Amino acid sequence: SRGLGDVYKRQVFIGMIMVCLSRESSMISSVNRGFTLIEVLVALLIVSLVATGAFSAVSNFADQRVILTTRFTGHWIAWNKLAEEYQVSKGWVDTTSYRAQTKGRIEAAGQEWRWFLTKERTLVENFHRYEVKVFSPEKVTQVSASALSPDVSPSAQLALFLMDTKK
């Protein structure tokens, strides 16, 4: 059996170890009170890379949204013009009051757009090819009122083949 002396020695030894560990931890904490300059610079570099990537993604999304909105509106205008020609070809519109137009301006999505319609004959009798080119407001200034410029690409371009069935 162990005596009280052994228990006392053991408690003193454990106490000395605790004192040594607390001194070491206080020495360590006194040495490492903050971040080094290198650590701060690395952290700033990582934050700046993440912020740059996020800004680039948001900017790309916004650009694509504008492009898709422009394309959608241009196709909407072109389809409306082709639908008018379809109604005329089917004889659904009174042609005495209808005046065929090959170009014009239209207000859509709060902006002014320009469109051009061409009608070409095909080898088949009463069968025509209709093509509509629509130019966005940004390109309206680049397109002259009388002719299409080959340098300026349309925002939307649609073609349709129709057979005239009106009598």
Side-chain angles (χ1 to χ4, degrees):
S1 91
R2 295 185 189 158
L4 287 177
D6 288 337
V7 172
Y8 179 73
K9 287 179 189 176
R10 193 175 287 155
Q11 285 179 346
V12 169
F13 181 71
I14 291 174
M16 288 174 44
I17 290 175
M18 295 299 285
V19 168
C20 287
L21 288 176
S22 68
R23 282 187 188 164
E24 267 187 43
S25 65
S26 67
M27 286 174 44
I28 289 172
S29 65
S30 67
V31 172
N32 289 332
R33 290 192 176 179
F35 297 108
T36 64
L37 181 61
I38 299 269
E39 291 171 331
V40 171
L41 290 176
V42 168
L44 284 174
L45 176 69
I46 292 170
V47 168
S48 67
L49 288 174
V50 169
T52 302
F55 179 74
S56 175
V58 168
S59 176
N60 189 23
F61 174 77
D63 291 344
Q64 289 299 318
R65 183 181 173 276
V66 169
I67 290 169
L68 288 174
T69 302
T70 301
R71 208 179 277 169
F72 173 79
T73 307
H75 279 98
W76 177 42
I77 293 167
W79 275 116
N80 283 343
K81 292 300 163 191
L82 289 175
E84 288 175 10
E85 293 301 320
Y86 179 75
Q87 291 172 355
V88 170
S89 74
K90 293 293 184 185
W92 298 344
V93 176
D94 181 18
T95 54
T96 58
S97 63
Y98 177 77
R99 189 175 68 103
Q101 295 178 332
T102 58
K103 63 184 174 189
R105 294 175 185 257
I106 189 168
E107 182 82 18
Q111 297 176 321
E112 186 176 287
W113 298 68
R114 180 167 290 188
W115 58 270
F116 293 89
L117 173 71
T118 56
K119 178 180 178 181
E120 300 172 354
R121 300 184 111 201
T122 61
L123 297 175
V124 179
E125 185 179 346
N126 293 331
F127 198 66
H128 301 287
R129 180 182 186 272
Y130 295 88
E131 183 178 29
V132 179
K133 292 182 181 182
V134 180
F135 295 89
S136 66
E138 296 85 30
K139 296 180 180 182
V140 164
T141 56
Q142 299 172 0
V143 178
S144 70
S146 60
L148 292 173
S149 173
D151 299 332
V152 181
S153 62
S155 300
Q157 181 174 351
L158 293 175
L160 179 69
F161 290 91
L162 292 174
M163 181 169 283
D164 290 334
T165 57
K166 62 182 177 182
K167 296 182 175 130

